[in-house]
Amino acid sequence: MKNLLKYILLCFCIFLPFGVKAATYQVEVVRSDAGNTSLGTFSDYNEAKRVMNEYPSDNKNVAAIYRDGKIINAKYAVSQFNYNHAAPDSGGADNIHRLFPSTTSSTVYTTVAAPYGIDAAFLDYDVSSDRAQIKISGYTGWTYLANINVVPISKLATSVKVTATTNITVRADHNTGSTALGSVALGDVYTFYDKYYDGTYTWYKIYYNGGYGWFASLNERWSVELDSGIQTYYEHHSKGNLIHYYNNHWGTSYTNLGPAPSYLNGNMNYYSFDGQYFYDDYKKMIDDYKENSNRRAVNAGKPHYAYYLYLPNHSKTGYTADDFNQIIRNYGYTSKAQSAMYDEGQSFIESQEKYGVNALLTFSAAINESARGTSDIARYKNNLFGHGAYDNCPFDCATSYASVKEGIMAHAKMTGAGYNSPSDWRYYGSHYGNKQSGMNIQYATDPYWGEKAAHNAFINDHNFGSQDYLINTIGLKISDKQVEVKKQPNEQSETIYVMKNKSTSVANMPVIVLDKVTQNNQSWYKVYTDASLDGNQNVINDGTYSFENSYGYIKVEDLYVTNNQPTIYANDIQINVGDLIDLKKNVTANDVENGDLTSRITVTSDVNPMVEGNYT
């Protein structure tokens, strides 16, 4: 009997989970006055999430879930990337955060460098994978919770001013026993990223001496919050343009994306993390994102696509070599020693002629990447585009070229035959784009790299007479449907390629629309293809591009056309054999964006006035 008892006790000791503590989840209402109200403690995460979602959160009171003192979910919140942080999924690279398409996926869709864009829309948290769902620069994906701070909108005051007459110690954490890092003084103003109330002090988290620190305020006796709100937003500027302000670790930056849509008022901020749908209330935006809808947007059902952000690289500019040279001179540069871009206008034009890549877009990317040709990589390596300049090895790893022209030609070839080629793994559309579609997905970790290039294209074009703006009609495949590009406008025609990435479907992929034709009661758009084609419309992969040969057809219902095709007004005419004829007489053209386009009509015809017959 003793032996049996020993056996039972032994088994009991092995299987009893000594020291295992089940996770608990505290649901609290995070109030704007720094105090919280408890809604209960739960052992089941899904029950905690239900309670959080059922609470009627508003701008000043947001229900959130805490675990071990950290917010892991909130009804309405901003996700802010951690800085000076080696992400658990980055291979040790500081500040580089991977975004996955699902909670379980090991395939990375894109990466984001935290310093270039702090804010994202926070949408959800998955307890099994410890990943958070966020939306930034058009892409909705999952990142590890350790990469971000979840900040309820009730805590989003943007800056705090020190009013205490004596210096206040900055500490490593929000308690008086933590390490002192320095101090703040009367009149200092700091952006703060979090705040914490310990029952006596309100602590503010600020960016301090290359990292983060906290300082305390006794109610409002030692400091005052200057304003509140979200620092990433869009504005219809007084000059008529759409300005995107975004929060980064150096402050607030902006891009100018061209004329603002008419439905945006000029006296308020609009929220958007895709630049396509805009919201006058942050909560409405989050509700839509969680539903994967746009019904609450001020432009519901009518997405906005900034022209230069979605203009395919396989297009042409009207600018000349002399124009590009003059633009650089207008910036104040007078020699090659000052800017590697000086007098390189002909190189940009030749890159377009050979590889079919828009010289203005290439020029605009160079301005962004090389600081107008003044960066060390540009001046010492003839590299205007940051080729090989990885985040952890920018200068030493950057590619060197024998001349600036060689670097420009290499970039145009890489763009056209690489990022813009449907057969390349980096192809997500032939435009600069954002983190959802376009070159920005794989080319740069900066979530707003595409916007910066588009900004440069618009600004330089605007300052030089706007000769390129809206000269193309852009059509977009706005869903992730896989759309076929055909050789001829009929279902039976051979498919040239499918609009998708090699391994995944992609939404918001643009093409340039050339014409609209109807055959057998089916309407098709004639478009420039992203693939380079020969005279028989077969794909070629030598990097060159012929606009004459590279065209195909897409069904009208598969494209959303963002700007109107011109309407041409003409009547049938009859002449006698041998009569002189002016085919443009009494013919007019106009569209909504540009107005009267009659002077830009060209005629292609096989009319022979010496031969009787009917001609089109």
Side-chain angles (χ1 to χ4, degrees), residues 571-613:
N571 296 309
D572 291 343
I573 57 176
Q574 183 172 328
I575 64 170
N576 296 318
V577 173
D579 284 354
L580 296 176
I581 182 173
D582 177 6
L583 293 176
K584 292 199 293 184
K585 185 178 180 180
N586 298 324
V587 178
T588 62
N590 65 70
D591 67 11
V592 173
E593 293 83 12
N594 298 286
D596 188 3
L597 295 170
T598 302
S599 63
R600 293 168 64 177
I601 293 174
T602 61
V603 177
T604 301
S605 174
D606 61 355
V607 174
N608 185 344
M610 302 306 296
V611 179
E612 181 178 353

Side-chain angles (χ1 to χ4, degrees), residues 41-231:
T41 299
F42 306 89
S43 59
D44 181 70
Y45 170 72
N46 290 324
E47 179 64 12
K49 187 175 179 180
R50 181 190 64 79
V51 172
M52 177 195 75
N53 286 328
E54 288 182 354
Y55 181 80
S57 296
D58 56 31
N59 289 324
K60 294 186 176 182
N61 302 276
V62 177
I65 302 175
Y66 286 79
R67 183 183 62 197
D68 298 328
K70 179 178 180 178
I71 296 177
I72 62 172
N73 204 341
K75 184 68 175 293
Y76 300 112
V78 171
S79 162
Q80 294 186 330
F81 281 114
N82 287 322
Y83 188 54
N84 288 336
H85 158 75
D89 56 316
S90 67
D94 282 350
N95 308 316
I96 306 300
H97 303 301
R98 299 179 181 181
L99 298 185
F100 302 89
S102 70
T103 59
T104 58
S105 174
S106 60
T107 301
V108 177
Y109 188 88
T110 191
T111 54
V112 173
Y116 295 100
I118 296 176
D119 296 339
F122 177 83
L123 304 180
D124 202 1
Y125 170 72
D126 177 70
V127 70
S128 62
S129 64
D130 199 32
R131 292 180 181 180
Q133 187 182 41
I134 66 172
K135 184 167 185 173
I136 183 170
S137 187
Y139 183 64
T140 301
W142 294 83
T143 188
Y144 286 101
L145 184 68
N147 294 339
I148 65 170
N149 288 316
V150 182
V151 185
I153 60 173
S154 54
K155 297 182 72 174
L156 280 173
T158 61
S159 58
V160 59
K161 181 177 182 179
V162 179
T163 56
T165 56
T166 57
N167 290 359
I168 304 174
T169 302
V170 178
R171 298 187 180 276
D173 206 350
H174 46 67
N175 64 76
T176 55
S178 64
T179 303
L181 304 176
S183 63
V184 294
L186 173 66
D188 287 350
V189 177
Y190 289 91
T191 295
F192 70 90
Y193 301 99
D194 200 359
K195 68 180 179 181
Y196 176 80
Y197 181 64
D198 65 6
T200 302
Y201 301 108
T202 298
W203 291 83
Y204 292 98
K205 183 179 181 180
I206 63 172
Y207 188 60
Y208 187 82
N209 283 348
Y212 284 110
W214 296 79
F215 75 88
S217 178
L218 186 60
N219 298 319
E220 291 189 350
R221 291 167 56 187
W222 297 352
S223 67
V224 60
E225 296 175 15
L226 296 182
D227 49 31
S228 62
I230 298 162
Q231 295 185 71

Side-chain angles (χ1 to χ4, degrees), residues 364-615:
S364 300
I367 286 178
N368 176 44
E369 285 287 347
S370 70
R372 301 171 185 166
T374 66
S375 71
D376 286 347
I377 294 174
R379 291 189 299 124
Y380 298 115
K381 293 196 169 186
N382 295 320
N383 182 344
L384 299 177
F385 305 95
H387 295 161
Y390 303 113
D391 292 282
N392 60 349
C393 179
F395 183 83
D396 290 343
C397 295
T399 306
S400 293
Y401 293 103
S403 66
V404 173
K405 179 178 180 179
E406 181 181 87
I408 293 170
M409 299 299 283
H411 182 78
K413 183 176 181 179
M414 179 192 304
T415 300
Y419 289 91
N420 296 170
S421 173
S423 62
D424 193 279
W425 65 273
R426 297 165 294 183
Y427 172 73
Y428 290 81
S430 61
H431 55 303
Y432 283 136
N434 53 23
K435 282 298 181 181
Q436 190 276 322
S437 69
M439 287 179 64
N440 201 164
I441 292 175
Q442 295 292 342
Y443 192 93
T445 55
D446 179 352
Y448 304 117
W449 173 85
E451 285 195 15
K452 292 171 183 177
H455 164 104
N456 290 331
F458 172 73
I459 292 296
N460 287 309
D461 185 31
H462 176 75
N463 291 341
F464 227 72
S466 298
Q467 58 179 299
D468 272 11
Y469 186 66
L470 293 181
I471 64 170
N472 296 290
T473 295
I474 298 177
L476 288 112
K477 180 183 77 72
I478 61 175
S479 75
D480 60 4
K481 176 183 176 181
Q482 296 185 19
V483 169
E484 295 180 330
V485 182
K486 297 282 192 178
K487 283 189 173 183
Q488 298 299 323
N490 62 75
E491 295 277 10
Q492 291 72 41
S493 177
E494 181 181 345
T495 298
I496 303 172
Y497 65 94
V498 178
M499 295 180 71
K500 64 181 289 292
N501 173 262
K502 290 186 73 174
S503 60
T504 187
S505 297
V506 183
N508 296 312
M509 300 178 77
V511 290
I512 291 177
V513 175
L514 302 173
D515 201 359
K516 183 179 181 181
V517 298
T518 300
Q519 287 192 8
N520 300 322
N521 297 319
Q522 172 73 61
S523 293
W524 298 76
Y525 285 125
K526 181 180 179 181
V527 303
Y528 280 138
T529 56
D530 290 335
S532 178
L533 308 182
D534 63 17
N536 296 314
Q537 291 178 280
N538 295 318
V539 176
I540 56 176
N541 292 306
D542 62 359
T544 62
Y545 190 90
S546 165
F547 288 96
E548 182 180 356
N549 297 332
S550 301
Y551 66 90
Y553 296 86
I554 299 174
K555 288 187 289 188
V556 165
E557 57 264 31
D558 288 336
L559 289 183
Y560 176 81
V561 177
T562 61
N563 58 313
N564 293 275
Q565 288 183 279
T567 301
I568 299 176
Y569 300 91
N571 296 309
D572 291 343
I573 57 176
Q574 183 172 328
I575 64 170
N576 296 318
V577 173
D579 284 354
L580 296 176
I581 182 173
D582 177 6
L583 293 176
K584 292 199 293 184
K585 185 178 180 180
N586 298 324
V587 178
T588 62
N590 65 70
D591 67 11
V592 173
E593 293 83 12
N594 298 286
D596 188 3
L597 295 170
T598 302
S599 63
R600 293 168 64 177
I601 293 174
T602 61
V603 177
T604 301
S605 174
D606 61 355
V607 174
N608 185 344
M610 302 306 296
V611 179
E612 181 178 353
N614 294 318
Y615 298 88

